[in-house]
Each structure stands twice: as C-alpha cells, then as structure tokens.
C-alpha cells in the first residue's frame, strides 16, 4: 500500500534556506482541510540531515510566524516537536525541526479509511493533554492546535503549528475567516480576537479529539464513542469556565490504567501506558514505515558546491544551516 504524500516530490527541486525539498508533508490531504502553514520534508545540502521544514501561508504575517517559531524552541515535553533551526534575519521565513516519520492527523484518517479507534483517540488525548499541561506550566499557550497540527508517529503524537492563531492575526482582530485556521478548532473567544488562553487550548483539544473520533470537529454528542462523550463535550463548551482542567481530562481517561514503565532516567507519563503495542491501527503503522523508507531513499538534486574560491560568491545560498540570532 502506498501512503498518500509519502513519495518523493515530483518536478524540479526546490530550495528553502540550505535545504532541498523532498516532498510536501500534507500531500493527500483534502483541499478543504485547513493547514496553518506550508510543510515539507527536506534534506540538507550535504545530504546528511533530513528535516521537517515549515513556512507561513501567504496571508500570514512572516514576522509573527518567526516570533512564534522562536518561542517554540523552548517548549518542553515528550510529545512536542519544536523548531530547532530558524531562517536567518532578512531571509524568507521558515523554520525546521528534526524529521520524524509521521502522518498529519487528517491524512491518518484518510489512510485508515475513516475515524480512528477509541483506544487510539484516548491515547492521543492523554498524550496531548500532558504536553499542553507542560506548556501551560511554562506560561505558554499552543494557540494553534487543530487536526492538521497533530502528527501521528509510531510511538505517539507530535504537536506542531505553534502560535498559528497569533501568527495569522494580531490579538483584537477577528479570526473567523483567516486562511489556514480551522474554524471548528478555534475557541469562540479567540475567533473574535481575544488573546489565546490555556482554556482555549482545552477547547481546541476537544475539537481535535472529536475530529479523530468522528471525522469532523463539531459532532453531535451521540456520534462520539461513549467513553469520550463527556470529556469531549465539556472541552467544547463555549463558556471557558465550564471546560475541564487538563489534569481532569488525564485522570478521567486513565482511570484504572496502570502507570507506564520508566524509560531510562525519564519518569513515565500517563500516556506511556496507553501507547503500547497495538495502540495504532496496522494501516497507519504501515503508512508511516512506507513514508520513512520513501523519504530516505528519495534522490534529490542537491545544490552543486563551488570550488572556484574558498567561500561562496556574494548572494549565493549558504551550504550549511545559519543559526538564528535574536536582537
């Protein structure tokens, strides 16, 4: 079986910074599914590094996008995929993170042929809630959680698209019609221009779990699996004060589940116990393995190094990553 979007990119090679694009990460996702940023799998000029590289949509503010990318570098937690490298000042906006073989959640549903099993959704819920709790403990909000922001890897989810709400529109500006933002995942208080808050992330988490379990972000209550109806319904309350705390979500979805085994020197998370063998449908495991093999085997036309002089000519792209320096 060939996973959509897993093969090498057709046509001429495209350069982003010092990287050559291998494929578009979101190929195969319906054009009607909002994706908050352009995302690619790319390879370094020396061919030794493969990364996930992102750039802002045409309608987003590149400066705000880069500010959010810079902030994401300091995010903690096992299920987060922060930026590791940023475009140099004056360069076209982009940021890169290490490549992890993974499917965007909308693509995972397409590969699976429909909504994900309740066991899978429950594991995603606990893992994402745990990592959002870590972010909130850092006095940060995700402000961009939606189905496309969640990547499904073999060992668990990865959160991406940080600050998509803020990058797309300043606080105080209504966001209902902003390109790339999923209206079903956008908390009502943020849709009207309110500042992102932790309880907004809880609403977006509920919408994302609803999508994973039903295929859309605003389902009827009886469409949800019985074990998820209460927690998802409370997350999707329009009144932020009626939404549950993240610790309550984690406790409610792991009641009776034994704690996971320690991994090295790292304390086990509650999600570890849910992410054991069989947590992911076999079709998705096969698609992730296929993507990894296709990306690593892809042949791309890497930039030619020049030997005419010790350094690159003026205006030529760098052959290595340029560290980002904040003012």
């Amino acid at each position: 079986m060939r996973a959509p979007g897993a093969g090498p990119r057709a046509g001429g090679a495209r350069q982003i910074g010092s990287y050559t694009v291998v494929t578009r990460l979101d190929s195969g996702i319906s054009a009607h599914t909002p994706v908050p940023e352009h995302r690619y799998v790319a390879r370094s000029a020396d061919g030794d590094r493969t990364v996930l590289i992102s750039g802002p949509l045409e309608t987003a503010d590149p400066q705000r996008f880069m500010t959010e990318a810079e902030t994401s570098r300091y995010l903690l937690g096992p299920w987060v995929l922060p930026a590791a490298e940023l475009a140099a000042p004056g360069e076209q906006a982009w940021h890169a993170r290490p490549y992890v073989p993974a499917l965007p959640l909308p693509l995972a549903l397409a590969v699976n042929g429909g909504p994900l099993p309740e066991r899978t959704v429950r594991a995603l819920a606990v893992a994402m809630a745990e990592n959002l709790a870590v972010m909130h403990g850092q006095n940060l909000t995700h402000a961009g959680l939606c189905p496309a922001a969640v990547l499904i890897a073999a060992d668990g989810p990865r959160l991406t698209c940080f600050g998509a709400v803020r990058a797309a529109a300043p606080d105080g500006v209504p966001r209902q019609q902003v390109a790339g933002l999923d209206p079903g995942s956008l908390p009502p208080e943020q849709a009207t221009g309110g500042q992102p808050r932790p309880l907004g992330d809880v609403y977006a988490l509920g919408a994302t779990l609803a999508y994973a379990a039903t295929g859309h972000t605003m389902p009827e209550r009886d469409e949800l699996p019985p074990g998820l109806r209460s927690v998802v319904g409370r997350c999707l309350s329009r009144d932020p004060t009626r939404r549950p705390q993240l610790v309550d979500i984690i406790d409610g979805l792991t009641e009776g589940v034994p704690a996971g085994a320690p991994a090295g020197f790292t304390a086990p998370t509650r999600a570890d116990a849910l992410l054991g063998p069989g947590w992911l449908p076999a079709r998705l495991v096969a698609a992730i393995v296929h993507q990894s093999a296709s990306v690593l085997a892809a042949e791309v036309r890497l930039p030619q190094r020049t030997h005419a002089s010790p350094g690159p000519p003026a205006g030529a792209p760098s052959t290595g990553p340029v560290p980002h320096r904040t003012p």
Side-chain angles (χ1 to χ4, degrees), residues 13 15 42 45 54 89 112 164 171 186 216 220 272 295 297:
Q15 292 296 121
S54 299
N112 194 54
D171 294 336
L186 196 57
H216 48 101
E220 297 294 334
D272 290 330
V295 166

Side-chain angles (χ1 to χ4, degrees), residues 22-106:
V22 175
T23 188
R24 180 182 287 272
L25 182 66
D26 296 298
S27 294
I29 293 180
S30 167
H32 300 293
T33 301
V35 179
E37 57 189 30
H38 295 302
R39 302 187 292 191
Y40 308 90
V41 180
R43 191 161 295 154
S44 63
D46 57 15
D48 290 340
R49 297 187 311 282
T50 303
V51 299
L52 294 175
I53 197 163
S54 299
L57 299 180
E58 290 74 9
T59 54
D61 182 340
Q63 184 173 355
R64 292 177 70 87
F65 176 87
M66 292 303 296
T67 298
E68 295 296 337
E70 170 68 31
T71 301
S72 83
R73 300 179 76 177
Y74 306 100
L75 293 175
L76 303 174
W79 315 116
V80 68
L81 200 58
E85 182 184 349
L86 281 73
E91 191 178 2
Q92 182 178 358
W94 60 268
H95 67 79
R97 51 180 74 97
Y99 170 62
V100 175
L103 304 176
L105 181 57

Side-chain angles (χ1 to χ4, degrees), residues 115 121 147 182 184-185 203-225 228-237:
V121 179
D182 185 338
S185 303
Y203 182 97
L205 174 63
T208 301
L209 297 176
Y211 179 89
T214 69
H216 48 101
T217 54
M218 298 293 290
E220 297 294 334
R221 180 179 171 84
D222 58 4
E223 293 182 75
L224 291 163
L228 299 173
R229 286 175 188 169
S230 176
V231 64
V232 172
R234 292 166 59 210
C235 288
L236 291 175
S237 173

Side-chain angles (χ1 to χ4, degrees), residues 34-36 57 143-144 146 164-166 168-169 175-176 178-184 186:
V35 179
L57 299 180
C146 65
V165 172
R166 285 180 293 236
R175 301 181 175 95
Q176 293 97 326
V178 174
L181 295 183
D182 185 338
L186 196 57

Side-chain angles (χ1 to χ4, degrees), residues 176-319:
Q176 293 97 326
Q177 303 300 322
V178 174
L181 295 183
D182 185 338
S185 303
L186 196 57
E189 64 272 20
Q190 289 178 221
T192 56
Q195 185 176 1
R197 302 285 187 186
L199 286 173
D201 282 349
V202 172
Y203 182 97
L205 174 63
T208 301
L209 297 176
Y211 179 89
T214 69
H216 48 101
T217 54
M218 298 293 290
E220 297 294 334
R221 180 179 171 84
D222 58 4
E223 293 182 75
L224 291 163
L228 299 173
R229 286 175 188 169
S230 176
V231 64
V232 172
R234 292 166 59 210
C235 288
L236 291 175
S237 173
R238 296 187 65 83
D239 180 356
T241 64
R242 298 177 64 87
R243 297 171 196 159
Q245 297 294 318
L246 290 168
V247 66
D248 296 327
I249 296 173
I250 296 167
D251 289 344
L253 293 177
T254 57
E255 185 177 359
V257 177
F265 296 101
T266 304
T269 70
R270 303 284 287 277
D272 290 330
L274 301 176
L275 292 167
W279 85 276
L280 204 57
R283 287 184 179 183
L284 300 191
V285 175
I288 292 168
V289 171
H290 177 84
Q291 182 201 89
S292 177
S294 297
V295 166
L296 295 178
E299 295 184 2
V300 296
R301 295 195 298 273
L302 298 173
Q304 295 293 322
R305 292 179 179 268
T306 176
H307 300 286
S309 61
S318 169
T319 56

Side-chain angles (χ1 to χ4, degrees), residues 105-153:
L105 181 57
L107 186 56
L109 265 67
V111 170
N112 194 54
L116 303 181
E118 181 176 346
R119 175 187 176 183
T120 303
V121 179
R122 185 181 293 265
L124 293 175
V126 175
M128 290 190 289
E130 285 183 337
N131 224 123
L132 288 173
V134 174
M135 290 184 199
H136 296 170
Q138 295 179 270
N139 293 319
L140 298 171
T141 56
H142 186 290
L145 181 57
C146 65
V150 179
L151 304 184
I152 307 297

